[in-house]
């Protein structure tokens, strides 16, 4: 039998406090709310390497111990690919990060961030809090994606600059016709559900299609607003049963947190309504239109709040905007592993589909990878990066934007001329597959310096395992092509 308190990861007396003074005051307020509102359980969640929320649920009485000493978490959760398979040899002495590091399926620690506390509107007896990953002794670890984004924000702040970003998410909400919950349907991964449409689609932004989707959109909007997420608009997208939500501008860490909470909320709430929500980029359903994730971004002066992307004259980007665009373009191909991390996401990079297929920028051009929306006197001047798929880990994707844009500023890079026809020019193509993106990432000195060699090799190994499983799976195309011919 385990010693009492061992599961809570209780801190030894010599360990430094996990929360600073400000966080400790916020933790005290969370505990007061939990008692006052009769909250019974608290979900302690952390974003893993894929941006998927994992964690444990504790009873309210255990919250103080979790704030004080963290919560033990199985380290193999950090070593899984998208099928939830552990892809590192954890029973060996050294899996690539030094003897005894992340071996033996031992524990790491998650530390609740009290500033992220929410009460779940669809489960009002439940609290919800995001956590940071730490080593068992409380020290920072290189595999915490929230910490990676914080460090990128700090690097930008060292130049008295801050990034502001607004988000657009596309996804599908579908009716579940068959859940596929027979014993034989389980697996790594499990058999997906069989679905049907809520609406036929192909009537972009028509009120009739919005009305057909309004019930589910209203449920999602109300829940998002109750969670304090900065929802700005809801739209009927082009595809059948495809939806877009947009968020008001906010800071990078807040928006990354908002993203993982929103995606998890959408999937949970839809499941409770007999629906299946998917942020998969190009679902294998008839007539599907790929979903994208568009990130609007601007750079402001921390001291004055002035938007440094607002140009002085029409048709000419400001110096900072030009440098930022040039940095994004310079590192676009090696960044695709962070913006487009799945095999499926590269099937969106098609010409004439309002999606980018090459590395370029244009003025208010939705076919270009970078769309510039900048006018003299417009305080909302910004660029929109249209490269990402909705499955991207938001902490890594947003960090990549900061690191690339900052590199453009530091090196005083200049962008090439903007394009008018994004699908008929000699610009470099984006990687055409996950393995092509992996090869660019693996060869990147830029990311080894920016993210650390250990993190880069760690992420690469996980994604190579995903690619290898994909290659070894016999597809429907192969069966149709060869089974009768030979």
């Amino acid at each position: 039998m385990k010693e009492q308190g061992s599961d809570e990861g209780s801190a030894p007396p010599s360990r430094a406090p996990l929360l600073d003074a400000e966080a400790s005051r916020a933790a005290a307020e969370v505990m007061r709310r939990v008692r006052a509102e009769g909250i019974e359980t608290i979900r302690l969640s952390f974003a893993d390497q894929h941006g998927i929320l994992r964690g444990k649920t504790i009873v309210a009485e255990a919250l103080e111990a979790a704030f004080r000493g963290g919560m033990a978490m199985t380290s193999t959760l950090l070593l899984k690919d998208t099928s939830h398979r552990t892809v590192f040899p954890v029973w060996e002495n050294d899996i690539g990060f030094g003897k005894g590091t992340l071996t033996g399926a031992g524990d790491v620690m998650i530390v609740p961030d009290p500033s992220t506390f929410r009460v779940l509107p669809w489960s009002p007896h439940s609290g919800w809090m995001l956590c940071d990953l730490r080593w068992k002794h409380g020290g920072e670890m290189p595999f915490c994606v929230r910490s990676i984004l914080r460090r990128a924000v700090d690097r930008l702040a060292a130049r008295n600059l801050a990034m502001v970003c607004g988000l657009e998410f596309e996804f599908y909400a579908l009716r579940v016709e068959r859940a596929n919950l027979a014993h034989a349907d389980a697996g790594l991964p499990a058999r997906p559900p069989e679905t049907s449409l809520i609406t036929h689609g192909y009537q972009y932004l028509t009120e009739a299609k919005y009305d057909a989707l309004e019930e589910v959109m209203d449920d999602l909007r109300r829940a998002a607003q109750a969670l304090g997420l900065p929802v700005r608009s809801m739209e009927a997208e082009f595809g059948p049963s495809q939806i877009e939500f947009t968020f008001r501008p906010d800071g990078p860490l807040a928006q990354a947190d908002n993203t993982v909470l929103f995606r998890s909320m959408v999937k949970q709430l839809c499941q409770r309504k007999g629906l299946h929500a998917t942020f998969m980029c190009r679902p294998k359903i008839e007539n599907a239109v790929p979903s994208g994730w568009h990130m609007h971004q601007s750079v402001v002066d921390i001291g004055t709040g002035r938007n440094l992307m607002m140009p002085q004259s029409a048709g000419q980007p400001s110096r900072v905007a030009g440098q930022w665009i040039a940095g994004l373009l310079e590192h676009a191909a090696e960044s695709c592993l962070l913006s487009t991390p799945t095999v499926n996401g590269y099937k969106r990079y098609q010409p004439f589909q309002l999606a980018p297929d090459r590395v370029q920028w244009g003025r208010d051009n939705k076919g270009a990878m970078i769309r510039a929306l900048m006018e003299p006197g417009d305080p909302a001047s910004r660029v929109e990066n249209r490269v990402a798929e909705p499955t991207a880990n938001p902490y890594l994707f947003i960090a990549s934007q900061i690191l690339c844009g900052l590199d453009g500023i530091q090196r005083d890079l200049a962008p090439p001329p903007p394009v008018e026809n994004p699908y008929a020019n000699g610009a470099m193509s984006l990687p055409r597959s996950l393995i092509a993106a992996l090869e660019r990432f693996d060869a990147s000195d830029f990311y080894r310096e920016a993210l650390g060699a250990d993190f880069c090799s760690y992420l690469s190994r996980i994604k190579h395992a995903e690619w290898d499983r994909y290659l070894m799976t016999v597809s429907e195309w192969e069966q149709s092509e060869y089974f009768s011919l030979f």
Side-chain angles (χ1 to χ4, degrees):
M1 184 174 180
K2 292 183 178 179
E3 182 181 347
Q4 186 176 3
S6 63
D7 250 6
E8 284 73 23
S10 300
S14 60
R15 181 191 291 163
L18 296 174
L19 303 181
D20 61 21
E22 181 180 353
S24 295
R25 288 191 291 271
E29 173 58 21
V30 169
M31 289 188 287
R32 184 201 65 77
R33 278 193 64 188
V34 167
R35 290 190 293 268
E37 298 176 27
I39 294 168
E40 301 170 16
T41 60
I42 298 94
R43 301 184 191 182
L44 301 181
S45 301
F46 73 96
D48 74 0
Q49 55 276 15
H50 308 290
I52 301 298
L53 289 184
R54 299 179 183 266
K56 295 182 179 181
T57 299
I58 60 174
V59 296
E61 292 77 11
L63 181 57
E64 183 177 358
F67 278 134
R68 185 178 65 251
M71 169 70 65
M73 192 62 55
T74 306
S75 62
T76 53
L77 295 177
L78 306 180
L79 306 176
K80 297 182 182 296
D81 69 3
T82 48
S83 73
H84 301 273
R85 297 169 188 261
T86 300
V87 299
F88 286 81
V90 296
W91 307 117
E92 296 181 5
N93 290 332
D94 187 343
I95 64 172
F97 309 112
K99 186 176 180 180
T101 301
L102 296 178
T103 60
D107 285 341
V108 292
M109 179 195 296
I110 58 172
V111 179
D113 180 349
S115 70
T116 67
F117 179 77
R118 272 99 164 163
V119 177
L120 296 185
W122 62 91
S123 180
H125 69 282
S126 302
W128 202 11
M129 218 169 344
L130 293 175
C131 302
D132 292 308
L133 279 164
R134 302 278 187 91
W135 296 117
K136 282 194 297 186
H137 55 70
E140 288 198 6
M141 66 184 310
F143 311 114
C144 175
V145 293
R146 283 187 100 224
S147 297
I148 285 172
L149 178 53
R150 281 198 193 93
R151 288 193 290 270
V153 169
D154 290 344
R155 287 178 66 166
L156 191 59
R159 296 185 68 95
N160 199 40
L161 301 174
M163 177 194 186
V164 177
C165 46
L167 310 180
E168 300 178 7
F169 302 103
E170 296 168 356
F171 61 97
Y172 280 86
L174 304 162
R175 299 190 195 280
V176 174
E177 297 297 333
R178 183 182 175 90
N180 289 329
L181 291 173
H183 293 293
D185 294 324
L188 294 169
R191 185 181 177 192
E194 297 167 31
T195 59
S196 62
L197 302 175
I198 299 174
T199 178
H200 288 114
Y202 291 109
Q203 296 181 31
Y204 177 54
L205 295 183
T206 56
E207 188 167 333
K209 295 305 177 188
Y210 175 85
D211 191 67
L213 291 162
E214 185 177 44
E215 181 181 348
V216 64
M217 284 206 201
D218 280 348
D219 287 342
L220 296 175
R221 171 186 53 80
R222 289 169 183 143
Q225 290 173 320
L227 289 169
L229 303 181
V231 173
R232 184 184 65 181
S233 68
M234 302 76 57
E235 302 170 9
E237 258 296 334
F238 187 68
S241 289
Q242 191 180 34
I243 294 170
E244 180 177 81
F245 269 59
T246 71
F247 282 7
R248 297 186 304 274
D250 207 335
L253 184 61
Q255 292 288 45
D257 289 346
N258 291 338
T259 299
V260 292
L261 292 172
F262 177 75
R263 292 193 309 208
S264 188
M265 177 212 80
V266 167
K267 292 187 74 69
Q268 290 181 52
L269 208 58
C270 283
Q271 183 178 30
R272 286 174 175 243
K273 291 176 63 66
L275 303 174
H276 177 75
T278 182
F279 290 83
M280 179 181 178
C281 180
R282 192 170 184 174
K284 192 179 183 301
I285 53 178
E286 292 184 44
N287 298 309
V289 175
S291 294
W293 175 8
H294 307 149
M295 182 183 294
H296 297 255
Q297 44 196 282
S298 58
V299 179
V300 301
D301 182 283
I302 290 177
T304 65
R306 183 168 64 93
N307 184 350
L308 300 178
M309 285 191 170
M310 186 168 65
Q312 297 298 312
S313 57
Q316 183 66 34
S318 71
R319 181 170 182 175
V320 167
Q323 293 167 332
W324 193 269
I325 291 169
L328 295 180
L329 297 178
E330 172 95 354
H331 301 293
E334 61 200 300
S335 298
C336 273
L337 187 67
L338 308 179
S339 68
T340 314
T342 72
V343 168
N344 181 257
Y346 293 86
K347 295 171 181 179
R348 171 174 166 262
Y349 292 164
Q350 302 288 334
F352 311 111
Q353 298 291 317
L354 292 178
D357 72 339
R358 59 198 77 188
V359 178
Q360 57 194 343
W361 76 285
R363 296 189 182 95
D364 197 7
N365 191 317
K366 292 183 179 179
M369 186 188 98
I370 303 294
R371 176 189 178 209
L373 298 163
M374 301 178 291
E375 295 292 341
D378 181 6
S381 291
R382 64 200 185 276
V383 298
E384 174 193 10
N385 195 339
R386 300 173 62 82
V387 75
E389 64 171 317
T391 68
N393 183 321
Y395 301 97
L396 299 180
F397 175 38
I398 297 175
S400 76
Q401 303 302 280
I402 294 172
L403 295 169
C404 296
L406 177 59
D407 188 56
I409 291 172
Q410 290 173 327
R411 294 166 57 201
D412 193 20
L413 299 180
V419 300
E420 295 295 335
N421 187 337
Y423 302 120
N425 59 65
M428 181 179 71
S429 294
L430 287 163
R432 304 295 292 173
S433 65
L434 178 61
I435 190 59
L438 264 167
E439 289 168 351
R440 296 300 297 264
F441 183 81
D442 289 343
S444 173
D445 292 330
F446 173 74
Y447 276 118
R448 274 197 297 274
E449 187 280 326
L451 300 179
D454 277 354
F455 182 82
C456 288
S457 63
Y458 156 79
L459 185 64
S460 175
R461 180 158 183 170
I462 289 171
K463 300 311 291 186
H464 272 286
E466 185 177 335
W467 177 257
D468 289 345
R469 282 194 303 106
Y470 170 71
L471 281 185
M472 296 308 296
T473 301
V474 178
S475 67
E476 291 181 14
W477 184 92
E478 294 169 89
Q479 186 75 357
S480 298
E481 189 81 3
Y482 307 127
F483 190 61
S484 298
L485 177 64
F486 294 107

